[in-house]
Amino acid sequence: MRDFHNLGIWKRSHQLTLDVYQATKSFPSEEMFGLTSQLRRAVSSIPINIAEGCGRGSNKEFAHFLQIAIGSASEVEYELFLANSLNYINDTDYQKLSDETIAVRKMIIKYRLEL
């Protein structure tokens, strides 16, 4: 069993989650149960799945949860694009969050391949 607190992929995805939560605070109130909720669930799914995978007994199970985290990162990437297209986040914040999402996804992919 691994300690997820020690993994760089978990630390970085946790920070991304905090950053997205901060960015979505300014979304319109009518999006509270729409895009805001969906984006927050998707981004938090990344570190959640890393943590859950760490609690599993085999590398195969851990790799499965990492694959789910990779999928969640792809979902976040699109939802950020949509939020920017709807002018809910400005171009600068969008680019920063999008770049970080892509970087986190690449890190998880690399880590998964090294298992």
Side-chain angles (χ1 to χ4, degrees):
M1 189 163 81
R2 296 166 180 86
D3 181 358
F4 65 88
H5 293 98
N6 296 327
L7 293 178
I9 57 173
W10 180 83
K11 291 175 185 177
R12 198 151 170 192
S13 63
H14 174 67
Q15 185 59 55
L16 175 63
T17 301
L18 297 175
D19 294 344
V20 167
Y21 265 73
Q22 185 64 37
T24 57
K25 283 183 179 181
S26 63
F27 280 20
S29 59
E30 67 263 16
E31 288 292 352
M32 180 57 70
F33 301 105
L35 186 57
T36 303
S37 176
Q38 186 63 31
L39 182 51
R40 287 177 172 188
R41 282 194 315 270
V43 75
S44 64
S45 176
I46 302 168
I48 286 169
N49 277 289
I50 294 168
E52 185 170 354
C54 283
R56 299 300 173 132
S58 70
N59 281 349
K60 182 178 178 184
E61 288 178 297
F62 186 34
H64 171 73
F65 283 92
L66 291 177
Q67 189 60 50
I68 294 169
I70 291 164
S72 293
S74 294
E75 181 181 346
V76 168
E77 185 181 356
Y78 169 71
E79 289 164 350
L80 290 169
F81 178 79
L82 177 59
N84 180 250
S85 297
L86 294 168
N87 295 314
Y88 294 167
I89 55 175
N90 64 46
D91 292 342
T92 302
D93 291 341
Y94 162 70
Q95 199 60 58
K96 178 183 172 224
L97 291 170
S98 180
D99 289 349
E100 185 60 13
T101 301
I102 293 166
V104 165
R105 184 176 60 230
K106 287 178 179 179
M107 284 177 66
I108 298 169
I109 291 167
K110 183 178 179 191
Y111 190 88
R112 186 175 182 275
L113 291 173
E114 294 172 356
L115 285 179

